[in-house]
Amino acid sequence: SQKFEEKTASIANEISLNLPLFLNRFPDFNTDFDISIIHSLGEMDGGTRTIDGKLHFIFGIDGIVKYHNGTTDTPFLHHELFHVYHWQFFKGEDKLWMSLWSEGLATYVSEVLNPGSSTADIMLDTPTGLVTACENDITFLWNDIAAHLDSTDEAIYTKYFLLSSQDPRIPKRAGYYLGYRVAKALGETYGLDDLVKMEPTQLRRLIGDAITVRSKSSSIAD
């Protein structure tokens, strides 16, 4: 389609413009990876795959065209580049809090690097109305995710992070918004570089504390 062809051309241009800007902010970024722009057959808008031991940074143009509501893809590019950078330092067990942090910090960084971005630009309006849906039930969400921070259950991950979730109460992709709120809160005390490279035990404690504070303050506000 014309929209697909236009996005393929524009995304390549945006990547070439934004990679140097990203490197300027995070100069120790290891850029030993290949970038591929593909039709993902409905699988993704962006992500990484390791193929034959080599890291490939993949953009699914079909996913970008379908899911992105913003006026610019620059924050999304920064979000995905940041994941690759963050994973140079952030490794550990596959628990829910790590997904919450990984996605929340990437969303927060995409906003910091693009001041004035809209909710849609930083992918917090996918699906439409995500922020409002979360805020309308925020006390429940803080308490529920607090109870599952150390979960390794794929079903819990799906409920909070995937558009395929069928949970009747938790908004699809609520984990992105909750993680963003946590990252933004910690960003008031710590610099970006400290947040990127923070030791996991300290980080897990700070995330738990931030959620506890928010669950209590939101219940008072209810």
Side-chain angles (χ1 to χ4, degrees), residues 79-80 82-83 86-87 90-108 124 142 145 148-162 173-183 200 203-204 207 211:
H79 180 119
E80 295 299 336
F82 181 78
H83 275 318
H86 193 198
W87 291 331
F90 186 56
K91 296 177 173 68
E93 299 167 280
D94 197 12
K95 293 183 174 179
L96 190 72
W97 76 264
M98 298 195 75
S99 297
L100 183 77
W101 182 242
S102 176
E103 296 298 353
L105 186 59
T107 303
Y108 173 62
L124 287 182
W142 284 133
I145 205 162
H148 294 106
L149 286 175
D150 294 305
S151 172
T152 57
D153 186 343
E154 196 68 29
I156 303 284
Y157 172 84
T158 296
K159 280 201 286 193
Y160 273 100
F161 290 97
L162 299 187
R173 295 181 80 251
Y176 285 81
Y177 177 63
L178 297 176
Y180 161 78
R181 288 274 310 270
V182 168
L203 189 53
R204 168 65 181 83
I207 290 168
I211 290 173

Side-chain angles (χ1 to χ4, degrees), residues 119-216:
T119 302
D121 291 339
I122 61 171
M123 296 293 293
L124 287 182
D125 198 41
T126 304
T128 303
L130 171 62
V131 171
T132 303
C134 289
E135 286 296 333
N136 285 344
D137 204 13
I138 197 69
T139 304
F140 166 78
L141 293 173
W142 284 133
N143 285 312
D144 187 73
I145 205 162
H148 294 106
L149 286 175
D150 294 305
S151 172
T152 57
D153 186 343
E154 196 68 29
I156 303 284
Y157 172 84
T158 296
K159 280 201 286 193
Y160 273 100
F161 290 97
L162 299 187
L163 281 167
S164 59
S165 170
Q166 298 299 313
D167 190 89
R169 185 161 186 183
I170 296 168
K172 297 179 198 296
R173 295 181 80 251
Y176 285 81
Y177 177 63
L178 297 176
Y180 161 78
R181 288 274 310 270
V182 168
K184 193 162 187 166
L186 295 186
E188 292 173 4
T189 306
Y190 299 93
L192 271 190
D193 297 307
D194 294 327
L195 293 177
V196 169
K197 297 168 185 177
M198 192 173 285
E199 187 269 327
T201 308
Q202 180 189 9
L203 189 53
R204 168 65 181 83
R205 180 176 56 79
L206 289 173
I207 290 168
D209 290 348
I211 290 173
T212 299
V213 167
R214 263 139 207 85
S215 67
K216 287 178 177 172

Side-chain angles (χ1 to χ4, degrees), residues 14-142:
E14 287 184 66
I15 291 167
S16 64
L17 286 172
N18 280 288
L19 190 54
L21 296 174
F22 191 88
L23 280 165
N24 189 49
R25 178 59 188 82
F26 300 109
D28 55 346
F29 184 22
N30 176 7
T31 56
D32 184 23
F33 55 82
D34 291 332
I35 295 177
S36 303
I37 300 170
I38 64 167
H39 192 302
S40 76
L41 303 177
E43 187 178 336
M44 63 161 76
D45 55 358
T48 58
R49 299 287 185 273
T50 301
I51 304 168
D52 296 331
K54 173 78 174 176
L55 185 66
H56 290 259
F57 188 15
I58 300 169
F59 288 104
I61 300 299
D62 52 320
I64 291 170
V65 169
K66 182 175 181 181
Y67 295 119
H68 291 203
N69 304 326
T71 56
T72 169
D73 280 314
T74 299
F76 163 70
L77 295 178
H78 288 156
H79 180 119
E80 295 299 336
L81 285 168
F82 181 78
H83 275 318
V84 181
Y85 174 63
H86 193 198
W87 291 331
Q88 290 176 210
F89 312 99
F90 186 56
K91 296 177 173 68
E93 299 167 280
D94 197 12
K95 293 183 174 179
L96 190 72
W97 76 264
M98 298 195 75
S99 297
L100 183 77
W101 182 242
S102 176
E103 296 298 353
L105 186 59
T107 303
Y108 173 62
V109 166
S110 74
E111 181 181 58
V112 170
L113 296 183
N114 299 276
S117 292
S118 69
T119 302
D121 291 339
I122 61 171
M123 296 293 293
L124 287 182
D125 198 41
T126 304
T128 303
L130 171 62
V131 171
T132 303
C134 289
E135 286 296 333
N136 285 344
D137 204 13
I138 197 69
T139 304
F140 166 78
L141 293 173
W142 284 133

